[in-house]
Amino acid sequence: MTDGIRKAYLQAAERAVHLLATEQVARCWETESVLPGMSVGGLAGHLARSVLQVEWFLDGQVLGAEPVAPVRYYARLVDTSLPDSALNVGVRARSEETAAAGPAVVAEQARTAWERLAQRLDEEPTDRRVAILHRPGEEMLLDGYLQTRCVELAVHLDDLALSVDDQCHVPDAALAIAVDVLVAAARDRHGDKAVLHALARRERDVDQALRVL
């Protein structure tokens, strides 16, 4: 399982690295992306962080807290669909901070981080934990965290490709992990009956139960 998760993550991260380095992304950097209120550069910065953050979190201090499961990482989020929520304002701010370096630097930072991770992830033990730096005191198992990065890569590779009219697609393995995590988060947040309605009886899907992000 560990090898499968790490391989899926690295494949999706490699796809992100390639997209970030394209001329289309650089040319559209200052234009609005398909996400309202976020530029292509900001979206690219957010995508790049799913590569950069893995290194940052691996290098963070681990204190032995009970690890957060990837399902709970998403199920507990609130106001994900509100553009001006604290969650989304924070995401945009961190993304724009990364994007401020410009397209060439962001692409190079992501590429070199991916190259290091391709070697480093092979060497990390199955019980390796990482520190969730934007939630001080929280930790996740490395493989659990990589599952959340598969979610982010799957969602935002699609967003960025659409924003710049590129045909890049998400690798199947990472896409499957993303769907599994998000459906499980929907079940955790709303319960199985609500998810059943969302899947089979949309007229009864009053909570939009499958909408996690």
Side-chain angles (χ1 to χ4, degrees):
M1 182 65 172
T2 290
D3 288 345
I5 292 170
R6 296 181 186 187
K7 182 178 179 179
Y9 166 76
L10 287 170
Q11 287 175 340
E14 183 180 22
R15 195 68 54 85
V17 165
H18 288 165
L19 180 58
L20 288 167
T22 61
E23 181 183 343
Q24 300 100 296
V25 169
R27 186 172 60 248
C28 298
W29 197 258
E30 301 295 338
T31 65
E32 187 171 28
S33 73
V34 296
L35 301 182
M38 183 173 262
S39 67
V40 166
L43 179 54
H46 188 58
L47 180 63
R49 290 176 71 90
S50 284
V51 183
L52 303 173
Q53 279 185 182
V54 176
E55 278 200 312
W56 300 341
F57 286 15
L58 277 167
D59 293 336
Q61 185 177 11
V62 175
L63 301 175
E66 183 68 22
V68 176
V71 170
R72 287 302 302 160
Y73 183 90
Y74 286 112
R76 66 185 177 178
L77 297 180
V78 297
D79 296 333
T80 56
S81 61
L82 300 177
D84 294 328
S85 67
L87 172 69
N88 286 322
V89 168
V91 166
R92 288 197 299 272
R94 291 189 293 272
S95 301
E96 293 292 348
E97 181 181 358
T98 300
V105 172
V106 170
E108 179 63 14
Q109 288 175 338
R111 184 187 65 80
T112 56
W114 175 81
E115 289 176 347
R116 290 188 295 266
L117 286 169
Q119 177 176 343
R120 186 172 183 179
L121 293 183
D122 275 343
E123 302 167 351
E124 296 291 350
T126 57
D127 61 351
R128 177 67 152 90
R129 295 185 180 203
V130 298
I132 308 304
L133 299 181
H134 59 277
R135 290 181 176 270
E138 287 197 2
E139 298 171 13
M140 295 184 75
L141 290 171
L142 172 60
D143 291 330
Y145 183 64
L146 293 180
Q147 289 179 68
T148 71
R149 296 311 89 190
C150 284
V151 172
E152 298 296 324
L153 287 165
V155 171
H156 298 302
L157 268 168
D158 188 58
D159 288 334
L160 186 58
L162 186 59
S163 295
V164 300
D165 196 25
D166 188 276
Q167 298 303 310
C168 174
H169 65 277
V170 182
D172 290 344
L175 187 59
I177 290 172
V179 171
D180 284 347
V181 170
L182 291 175
V183 171
R187 295 176 69 187
D188 183 285
R189 184 184 292 177
H190 296 289
D192 283 353
K193 187 174 182 180
V195 171
L196 176 67
H197 287 164
L199 290 167
R201 292 292 181 267
R202 284 175 293 174
E203 68 276 11
R204 300 178 204 164
D205 181 22
V206 295
D207 295 322
Q208 290 190 304
L210 288 179
R211 177 66 186 265
V212 175
L213 297 176

